[in-house]
Each structure stands twice: as C-alpha cells, then as structure tokens.
Amino acid sequence: MAIWVATRKTGNMNMAVTQLEPYILKGSIKVIDRFFSVPVDYAKPDGPHIRVFVRNLIPLVEAKGSGTDAAESDLPYLLYLQGGPGFGVDLSLSVDLGNALHKKKYQTLWLDPRGTGLSTPITADIFQTKQMDDEAIAKYLKHFRADNIVRDCETIRHFLLDGKKDPEARKWTIFGQSFGGFCAATYLSFHSDGLKEVFITGGIPPMVDSPDAVYEALVLKVEERNQVYYAKYPQDVRNVRRILGFLEDNNVVFPNGGNLTVSRWLQLGVNFGSHGGIDRVHQLVFRAITDLDTFGKLSYGLLNSVQSAQSFDTNPIYAVLHEPIYCQGRMAGWSAHRVIQKNDRFIWGKVKLMSDNVPIYFTGEMIFPDMFQDYHHLRPLQGAAELLACDEDWPMLYDKEALKKNKVKVNAATYYDDMYVDFGLVQQAASVIGNVEQLITNQSFHDGIRKHMENILTTLFDLSKRERD
C-alpha cells in the first residue's frame, strides 16, 4: 500500500514518486520501496513514462539516534548497479552484500534497472499486447542501455539528496558489478559531479565502439575454459557428442515450448565463467546421458533443469541488447556469431566429422541469431533483434577525455581469468580512467563478489584509503 505519492519538478520534467509503507527486516534493517516515474526518452520528457523501482535498506543500528528520520538520512547512500544487462537485483545478494556494506556505515539502494525486475519489465507479451511492430519494438529497446540507466540514477539522486545543504552531501557512492561497472564508467563520463566514490567488481568496460574486439579476445578464454572442462571430465568428450547427435536427430521441446537444439545445449558453456560452473554443466551432461541410457530420451526433469539454467526467456534485454551495450556509432552485426564461425572447434557440423575423441567446444556469454528461434519468449523479438543488430545509430557511452581527467576515486576488483570481461581490454580501459586503483587476482572468477565477498570488500576499502608505503 502506498503511503504517499509526490510530484516534483526535476530539471525540465515533472517526476512522480510513489513510496510504499516501510517495514523492518531481521537485523534492524528498515526497508523503503519507491517507484520513480521517468521518461522512456529523456529527450522527450513529456512523452511516455515508465516506472523505475529502487529499494532502500537502512541499517538502524548504524544511524546515530536511530529511530528518527533525520538520523537515518544522515547515513550516506551507496547505490548498487546490477550486472546484466537485463537483470533485476538479486534479493539474496542485497541481503548478504548489503549487510557487509551497512557495516561500512552506508545505507544502500538496490536498483532494478529500467526494463527489469519491478521497473516496467520488458517481456515479449507486453509488446504483443500493445500491437507494436518490429521497428517500434527496436526503437523502444534502444532506450534501455547504460546511458539511460545512469539518467534514471541521477533522477533518483536529485530526489533524495537535493535538499542537503552541503554540496558534498548531495553526492553518493556507487557499486557496479559486471555490467553495473559499465554503467559506472558511463556515470563517470557524463555525471561525475554526482559521485563521491565508485566501486567496481568485474566490470571496468572495454573502451570499444563495437563488440568485435571483445569477442575476439573472449573466445580465447572460452577455449581455455573448455580445455579445463574436458581435462576434468574426459568422459564428457564422448558424452557431449552423443547428446548433440541425439538433439540433431530429434525434435526436443522444452516445457515452455522452446527448442533444445545443438546450439542451445552448447550455450550452457556460459556457466564456465563462474565458480562451480564447470561442475554444474557436467551434472547436466551426466543426467542427460543417464536419461538416454534409461529412457532413450531426455526426461522432463532434465529439460526443466536446462530451461531454468538459461535466463534469456525471462530476461530478454540480456539477449537483444547484449551486443549493443558495446556500440558507439557502429553496428553489432551479430558479432559473436561471426567470431565463433572462425573456429572449427565450436562448429558441430565440422567436429562431428572428426574422430570421436575430439571435443566440441561449448560457447560462452554470447548471443546468436538462432536463439530467437530456439527460446520461446524470444521468438516475438526476432525481427526487432535483427534491426538492432544492423543499427549503427548508437550514442556515445563513454567520454575518454572526461575519464582521463577523472578525480573521483575508483576502486576496482579485476579478475585475470574472467571469461566475460577480458582482462587485457580491462587494462587498456583502466589506463584511460583517472584515479583508478585495482585489486587484480587470478583466484576469483567473474562472480567473485559472491564467492569471496569478505576478502574482496576488505581489499577494495583498503584501496579506497589511497595509503602508500
């Protein structure tokens, strides 16, 4: 139930904010949920609006004189920017990471980026209900990249902090994981005056204008992780080949109506980039082989497990904008598909003709045209995805000159073996951004903030001190 709705003039637009009734979580964490009405296109503030959801967690034990609104408002804000693109905030992470950040005497904000979670989520059926054609859908989706996510953040910051007398108190700290780090770099490029400090984990973005260089680099890491997989589970060389042979000869349909094709099975390799991912894929292979031995087909349980392991049906932005998040004035042109075609080890049509001891490689965090046929809820977006892949009209996401002059402290955890954000491209980008300090480690993968949260946070906050021997 809403306890109040406020309308405020911010810049050249009127903004409506709905705040829901606060409640208290275990551990004396006060929760305030807010919805902000923001324009789809900031260049047209009087045009269509969407709602953006942000959850405010306030550690009452850290607020001096807790129990008063004034004491709570004195705690500085830290805004968490979610990875993706296309994912809302993971509430389990907001509890675990939130508790750790609250001990640093922050109150935290957890944003569902526009089009995700509770922020007017994008799903194919919504476009069908509105009877939008492919061109209209593509035009709409172009407003859901980092540039507009940052504009949403600035709208929220102005609402929460413009009333502060001290100019420094009108700034906040941001924490970007993965794609959230990309958004942080966009923030630093165009709105650094709103930032007090920046933390990034696995997300200093490659400073490119199209994704080709990204996938040319990442495919080498994906190859490496495939080699680790097959060295750990050599029996899966033949097992995976057998599964793909079955999929090639049979029409296998998921519970939700999607198709389990050769290409879609190989997309399970996206898991290789996270802690425990290789083992999770092996368990799916083991179960599939057991099904074939026992039933001569793949069971409902296995199909449901694979469907649940792949998030594109429920997070379509992850598919349609995954390559355009790199574009600045150039088209994506199905970059990953073009790059992967250069390496026969990823091509089942070629590997199946080789000796049965030759492994077929799984693919990584990559988007392919056939996904818009194989995933049930991506099918209505196929035409729009093709238009976006061929679109060159993408605005700039980074200002290198502004980044070189950056004075805001940036504290980043960078993973040498990251399969999603290439280490070499990260170092090139880090050399462009001023005032960056990095924790560089080969002991964590891309999801290190989950696996090694305490160690990573301790080091990042030590880096923040900028103390030198």
Side-chain angles (χ1 to χ4, degrees), residues 163-239:
K164 298 285 187 180
K165 293 181 180 179
D166 181 359
E168 286 301 306
R170 296 178 205 144
K171 300 179 181 181
W172 61 14
T173 296
I174 60 174
F175 190 121
Q177 157 65 14
S178 187
F179 173 69
F182 291 28
C183 295
T186 301
Y187 215 139
L188 286 166
S189 292
F190 303 109
H191 299 282
S192 62
D193 56 338
L195 298 177
K196 185 178 298 181
E197 190 166 10
V198 174
F199 293 90
I200 295 175
T201 53
I204 294 179
M207 294 289 165
V208 296
D209 54 14
S210 81
D212 284 15
V214 172
Y215 291 112
E216 292 283 1
L218 288 178
V219 73
L220 302 177
K221 186 60 66 175
V222 177
E223 284 187 74
E224 182 181 306
R225 294 300 289 163
N226 271 279
Q227 291 161 9
V228 171
Y229 173 80
Y230 285 117
K232 187 171 187 177
Y233 297 111
Q235 68 272 32
D236 282 359
V237 172
R238 288 183 172 85
N239 286 341

Side-chain angles (χ1 to χ4, degrees), residues 252-255 260 291 298-308:
V252 180
V253 179
F254 280 110
L260 179 51
D291 280 353
L298 300 178
S299 67
Y300 175 91
L302 180 279
L303 293 174
N304 188 61
S305 294
V306 174
Q307 179 180 293
S308 299

Side-chain angles (χ1 to χ4, degrees), residues 330-437:
R330 292 184 59 188
M331 73 170 65
W334 301 113
S335 178
H337 176 71
R338 289 186 285 105
V339 169
I340 217 77
Q341 293 299 313
K342 301 176 185 178
N343 190 323
D344 288 354
R345 301 299 288 272
F346 292 95
I347 310 302
W348 173 238
K350 296 183 178 180
V351 173
K352 70 178 182 179
L353 303 176
M354 302 177 187
S355 170
D356 64 2
N357 63 356
V358 176
I360 175 70
Y361 281 177
F362 288 81
T363 53
E365 190 181 41
M366 299 169 177
I367 305 302
F368 305 108
D370 60 11
M371 294 170 70
F372 292 86
Q373 300 169 5
D374 293 342
Y375 289 82
H376 178 76
H377 291 288
L378 292 185
R379 289 168 184 162
L381 301 178
Q382 184 174 10
E386 186 64 40
L387 291 173
L388 291 169
C390 299
D391 196 332
E392 295 181 337
D393 185 22
W394 297 102
M396 300 300 291
L397 294 169
Y398 311 112
D399 182 336
K400 289 186 178 181
E401 290 305 313
L403 291 172
K404 288 178 183 177
K405 299 174 183 176
N406 174 59
K407 301 298 182 184
V408 178
K409 284 192 292 185
V410 180
N411 316 293
T414 300
Y415 309 124
Y416 184 80
D417 291 317
D418 200 322
M419 199 184 81
Y420 308 135
V421 184
D422 178 69
F423 177 77
L425 293 176
V426 167
Q427 295 315 299
Q428 292 177 22
S431 69
V432 171
I433 305 172
N435 204 12
V436 173
E437 294 282 351

Side-chain angles (χ1 to χ4, degrees), residues 1 80 103 134 233 331 431 434 454 460 463:
M1 176 183 294
Y80 179 78
K103 292 176 182 177
D134 292 340
Y233 297 111
M331 73 170 65
S431 69
E454 183 177 353
L460 289 180
L463 289 176

Side-chain angles (χ1 to χ4, degrees), residues 79-91 93-94 97 109-117 144-146 149 175-184 199-204 311 315 317-319 321-322 325-326 365 418 420-421 446-447 449-450:
L79 170 70
Y80 179 78
L81 296 172
Q82 174 68 28
F87 291 85
V89 167
D90 181 340
L91 293 182
L93 180 64
S94 72
L97 180 57
L109 293 166
W110 304 84
L111 174 74
D112 280 346
R114 54 169 51 205
T116 75
F144 289 78
R145 296 198 308 162
I149 293 173
F175 190 121
Q177 157 65 14
S178 187
F179 173 69
F182 291 28
C183 295
F199 293 90
I200 295 175
T201 53
I204 294 179
S311 55
N315 304 84
I317 288 178
Y318 190 39
L321 291 182
H322 200 277
I325 66 171
Y326 297 102
E365 190 181 41
D418 200 322
Y420 308 135
V421 184
H446 189 72
D447 59 341
I449 193 60
R450 294 178 181 272

